[in-house]
Amino acid sequence: MRMRRSVLVMMLIVFMYLTGAGPGGNVLAADEYELLDILKDTGESEQLRLEVLDITGEINTLEDNIVTAMLDLLKDTEDSALLRLRAFDVLCKAGPDVRERVTEDPDIDRALTHLLQEGEAAYEIARLDSETQKMAAPHLATLLLNTESEKCLIHLRAAAAINRIGMDGVEEGLELAQLESVRNALEGLEELEREIADKRYRFGREGATRLPRRYEVLNSTKVMSAHVSNWQGGFLTAGEYQYAVFYDGDGQLTAAARNLGSSEWDIERLPDRFDGARSGESLVVDSEGILHYTGNMHNQRLVYFRTREPGEISTFERIGKMVGREENRMAYPNFFTCAEGKLHFSYFHGGSGRRIQIVNVWNAEEKTWQRVGVLFDGRGREGGGAIPRLGPDGRWHLATAWRVTPDMNDNRRVIHAWSEDAKNWETAFGEKVELPITPDTEGVVVDPVGVQQGLTTLNLGFDTDKRPILSYQKYDEEGRNQIYNTRLDEDGWVMHQTSDWEWRWHFGGRGTQTFYIRLSQVIPTENGRLIQDYAHRVEDPDGFEKRSQYHNALTMRSVLDPDTLKPLLNVKLPRGRELWPEEMLPEDPDQKVRFIEDMGESDEDGVYYVLRYTTSGEPEMKVFKLKGVEY
């Protein structure tokens, strides 16, 4: 029966396409009752019912029984918001007589106010016909003005809907006094927007760390007079000491250290030169105070330095092996602390699209590395890997995608697994996952997106209920880049398209890429909101360039609807010279500098350290001691 219904709807759609016009008043007469049955059948698929609404929306004159069915659907608060909104749209476009029936029915008035409180309807109203927006305007104004606080979700949804429609689109539906009140309410959101834009976060492997929004510079110390050819190293504070490892302007690996009570830095040149490798780097201090550094590898032999003595950079030695196997084609090294507080080391081995991910663990007593095993194995066909991350739910999470070839646009299949102990892994639905995870591992696929579909920039975040959200970009049905946030709900992984861009970033090929779109993970804030930072080089070119100059290219922030993960507000983040106190900036506004935030943590409450180095002009590297003064 349901199959015959689908065929019937498809035949009508084909008829409309071939005739080049919408059907006349009684073209549906032969099957009118069956189509009405589909519309009323809440057990029928939402997609089929939406297709019926699309067909009826093309009818020149709606029969009375169709209008009645639409009105009944609009009043049914148990049905989906999209179906009810689409029914409202059809009714609004059906002519003055039908619109009069809509406006005179008090039950419809209440149903519309209820409908427009829902996130999906509040967002989609801006896509609909101008007549629909005009009739919705008084209800949106009521929601905006009758909610007590701009921090109320319904208030924000109404404001976002009006902003998306534009005041020109809603003013015809409002009386003059109401229109002025709406304008004043929207202006009142500016303070909230400033508050949201002022919050600062540092994004790292352990998630997002809240930072002060204003700093006071306590002092600064000069490390050395040098440019940096490539920041493959780290800057961290550990106890009473501070360390920096980097490749200087001549490409020489350099280590610097100081006691925090001194402004004098010890400098050591280490036997390695930067050769253009673009993969990750890592600097860490283990539980015994031993320094470990690795980097400057992209399908190359191991580059690894370790101090003999705790904290003494003069005792750095180059170590030729960790465990002695699978160490000749290494890339993307990472030190991380996993379950039981043990230091681990992860890296990829093999060429892009053919890699395996290997994990070692440090034995502090014996001062040796031991092989844990292979976490991801592409079986010679693909490559993938992820660093385990401890979530707010107390579980360790893995989130990544497979890459089939070295082409950056050949990523596919977003995957996820979690574990209570970072040893025994399972799917989000409790099914055991055997290691290594391979392209054939069942139950871990979150989004089966294929190659050449724009998949890139995958991040793991969480909502206020500690549910994991995988954030990434891929092409939509029209081939345009969009941000997708896919969240684990009770019924499984649910994909939400967050952005609505009209542009496509054509990317692909091998080697280093210039990212025109960037995005962060979804962050739950302390006041219960969800935010996500992003950058779009075409949408905001000025901000993109200014923030890139100071090594932070995320230019916009969205406040997301907690139900739909659609943006309620979009605000510009501080950019360029607005990012740091004036004392930290070079006198020449055209001089290029980079700021590196501390990977460690100061023992002094509210104190932060930031390293600044120049990439042009007078060579200089300085460290600033800051005090957070506003949060």
Side-chain angles (χ1 to χ4, degrees):
M1 176 66 177
R2 296 197 188 281
M3 177 65 74
R4 195 173 75 81
R5 284 178 167 184
S6 299
V7 171
L8 172 64
V9 171
M10 286 304 300
M11 287 175 64
L12 284 166
I13 293 173
V14 170
F15 170 80
M16 292 162 59
Y17 174 77
L18 292 176
T19 57
N26 292 316
V27 73
L28 301 183
D31 295 293
E32 179 181 303
Y33 291 105
E34 183 154 11
L35 288 176
L36 288 175
D37 285 343
I38 297 174
L39 199 57
K40 296 175 183 178
D41 186 357
T42 57
E44 188 58 83
S45 75
E46 180 176 308
Q47 182 59 41
L48 188 61
R49 296 172 77 198
L50 284 170
E51 289 173 359
V52 169
L53 285 169
D54 286 339
I55 292 172
T56 53
E58 297 296 329
I59 299 175
N60 296 332
T61 304
L62 290 179
E63 297 293 330
D64 186 69
N65 54 354
I66 296 179
V67 172
T68 300
M70 297 285 184
L71 292 171
D72 290 341
L73 175 57
L74 187 53
K75 297 174 188 177
D76 186 359
T77 58
E78 297 299 318
D79 234 321
S80 82
L82 273 183
L83 279 167
R84 287 180 284 146
L85 187 65
R86 187 70 182 99
F88 177 55
D89 187 48
V90 171
L91 291 167
C92 290
K93 294 187 298 185
D97 292 341
V98 174
R99 288 197 292 273
E100 186 176 351
R101 287 184 63 179
V102 172
T103 55
E104 290 181 350
D105 188 334
D107 291 335
I108 291 295
D109 188 73
R110 287 190 291 270
L112 275 174
T113 301
H114 186 279
L115 171 62
L116 292 171
Q117 293 181 38
E118 299 186 40
E120 201 162 22
Y123 186 85
E124 292 295 328
I125 189 71
R127 297 174 181 267
L128 301 184
D129 185 78
S130 59
E131 194 64 46
T132 306
Q133 295 172 1
K134 177 181 174 182
M135 292 190 67
H139 301 276
L140 291 171
T142 298
L143 293 174
L144 181 68
L145 300 175
N146 289 358
T147 46
E148 295 181 359
S149 169
E150 70 275 4
K151 297 182 180 181
C152 169
L153 178 59
I154 295 174
H155 183 102
L156 287 178
R157 282 174 173 167
I162 292 173
N163 280 329
R164 279 173 56 81
I165 293 170
M167 287 303 297
D168 290 343
V170 300
E171 61 184 6
E172 288 187 36
L174 301 177
E175 296 178 0
L176 185 60
Q178 196 178 31
L179 184 62
E180 190 63 27
S181 297
V182 167
R183 286 200 174 100
N184 291 335
L186 293 178
E187 289 176 3
L189 289 175
E190 293 178 2
E191 182 178 347
L192 176 62
E193 292 175 353
R194 285 193 295 271
E195 174 194 330
I196 291 166
D198 267 351
K199 294 184 185 299
R200 295 190 61 187
Y201 297 88
R202 179 178 65 202
F203 301 104
R205 287 175 299 206
E206 303 303 320
T209 303
R210 176 76 186 279
L211 297 173
R213 60 181 178 177
R214 298 286 184 272
Y215 293 99
E216 173 190 350
V217 178
L218 300 180
N219 60 54
S220 64
T221 62
K222 182 177 179 179
V223 182
M224 59 188 300
S225 296
H227 284 313
V228 174
S229 60
N230 190 278
W231 188 265
Q232 289 213 21
F235 168 59
L236 67 86
T237 303
E240 299 178 358
Y241 294 89
Q242 203 163 65
Y243 308 97
V245 176
F246 54 92
Y247 290 86
D248 68 15
D250 297 323
Q252 187 70 45
L253 182 60
T254 304
R258 68 158 178 157
N259 184 297
L260 287 176
S262 170
S263 60
E264 298 297 321
W265 288 80
D266 296 325
I267 307 294
E268 293 289 335
R269 309 288 183 177
L270 304 180
D272 190 54
R273 298 189 67 83
F274 178 65
D275 62 2
R278 64 186 184 279
S279 68
E281 69 290 326
S282 212
L283 174 67
V284 71
V285 178
D286 69 21
S287 59
E288 305 296 321
I290 299 297
L291 283 162
H292 303 253
Y293 167 76
T294 182
N296 195 28
M297 297 178 293
H298 196 79
N299 301 335
Q300 291 155 312
R301 288 190 176 277
L302 173 69
V303 176
Y304 171 50
F305 290 83
R306 186 172 73 227
T307 60
R308 293 190 309 275
E309 302 297 331
E312 293 293 337
I313 62 171
S314 61
T315 67
F316 256 127
E317 294 178 322
R318 184 163 189 162
I319 310 299
K321 68 176 184 178
M322 282 190 168
V323 300
R325 61 184 187 277
E326 287 95 23
E327 294 177 353
N328 63 325
R329 299 193 68 197
M330 300 175 67
Y332 300 104
N334 276 289
F335 294 113
F336 64 98
T337 301
C338 206
E340 302 174 357
K342 292 183 178 180
L343 179 64
H344 287 64
F345 177 69
S346 162
Y347 66 96
F348 288 173
H349 190 268
S352 180
R354 300 290 186 272
R355 291 182 173 132
I356 61 175
Q357 183 188 6
I358 296 172
V359 178
N360 298 333
V361 64
W362 175 246
N363 186 320
E365 293 183 2
E366 299 181 6
K367 290 186 170 47
T368 59
W369 288 97
Q370 298 167 354
R371 178 62 46 87
V372 174
V374 177
L375 192 55
F376 286 85
D377 186 345
R379 298 296 194 231
R381 309 190 309 269
E382 304 183 39
I387 303 298
R389 177 184 161 192
L390 183 62
D393 57 353
R395 294 186 177 99
W396 295 88
H397 294 257
L398 293 170
T400 188
W402 292 105
R403 181 178 290 187
V404 179
T405 75
D407 188 327
M408 196 179 82
N409 202 4
D410 270 348
N411 295 319
R412 74 177 190 114
R413 301 178 77 186
V414 176
I415 63 176
H416 170 273
W418 62 21
S419 171
E420 301 287 348
D421 57 9
K423 296 177 182 178
N424 301 290
W425 295 89
E426 59 185 34
T427 71
F429 312 105
E431 301 161 348
K432 185 176 181 181
V433 173
E434 297 287 349
L435 295 183
I437 297 173
T438 75
D440 302 318
T441 299
E442 297 183 355
V444 296
V445 177
V446 173
D447 182 350
V449 57
V451 298
Q452 297 295 310
Q453 294 302 307
L455 175 62
T456 187
T457 322
L458 178 64
N459 292 300
L460 169 66
F462 298 86
D463 69 7
T464 52
D465 294 322
K466 303 179 182 179
R467 294 176 294 182
I469 301 175
L470 305 188
S471 303
Y472 48 94
Q473 61 164 301
K474 66 174 184 176
Y475 300 144
D476 62 14
E477 293 180 354
E478 304 297 324
R480 298 167 299 201
N481 305 80
Q482 306 293 355
I483 294 174
Y484 288 85
N485 286 305
T486 300
R487 176 168 56 191
L488 183 63
D489 290 342
E490 291 182 0
D491 298 327
W493 292 100
V494 179
M495 187 189 312
H496 302 268
Q497 181 182 319
T498 295
S499 63
D500 193 19
W501 293 323
E502 298 289 335
W503 177 80
R504 173 163 172 156
W505 167 36
H506 294 272
F507 70 91
R510 304 181 179 216
T512 303
Q513 303 281 325
T514 298
F515 278 73
Y516 278 60
I517 299 172
R518 296 180 181 272
L519 65 145
S520 76
Q521 67 229 49
V522 173
I523 308 164
T525 67
E526 65 281 355
N527 53 16
R529 294 194 189 93
L530 295 179
I531 63 173
Q532 184 172 41
D533 293 356
Y534 70 93
H536 195 300
R537 194 166 188 171
V538 172
E539 181 184 72
D540 184 22
D542 181 62
F544 198 101
E545 296 305 324
K546 283 185 176 179
R547 286 182 67 89
S548 293
Q549 181 185 2
Y550 294 94
H551 206 53
N552 187 339
L554 296 175
T555 69
M556 301 290 293
R557 174 167 293 160
S558 294
V559 178
L560 302 181
D561 189 299
D563 296 333
T564 66
L565 300 183
K566 292 282 191 181
L568 294 169
L569 291 175
N570 287 314
V571 298
K572 289 185 177 182
L573 294 173
R575 50 199 62 201
R577 300 177 74 88
E578 303 169 15
L579 287 167
W580 300 101
E582 192 68 27
E583 304 96 303
M584 296 177 64
L585 303 175
E587 293 183 7
D588 181 359
D590 295 324
Q591 184 176 22
K592 293 182 179 180
V593 297
R594 292 289 184 266
F595 293 98
I596 306 297
E597 297 184 46
D598 194 353
M599 298 163 58
E601 190 172 289
S602 171
D603 289 339
E604 297 182 76
D605 186 42
V607 168
Y608 301 82
Y609 290 93
V610 175
L611 182 147
R612 188 201 75 187
Y613 67 88
T614 59
T615 59
S616 67
E618 188 70 22
E620 183 184 60
M621 179 182 292
K622 296 181 74 172
V623 169
F624 293 86
K625 182 179 181 179
L626 309 175
K627 178 75 173 180
V629 293
E630 287 186 49
Y631 288 82

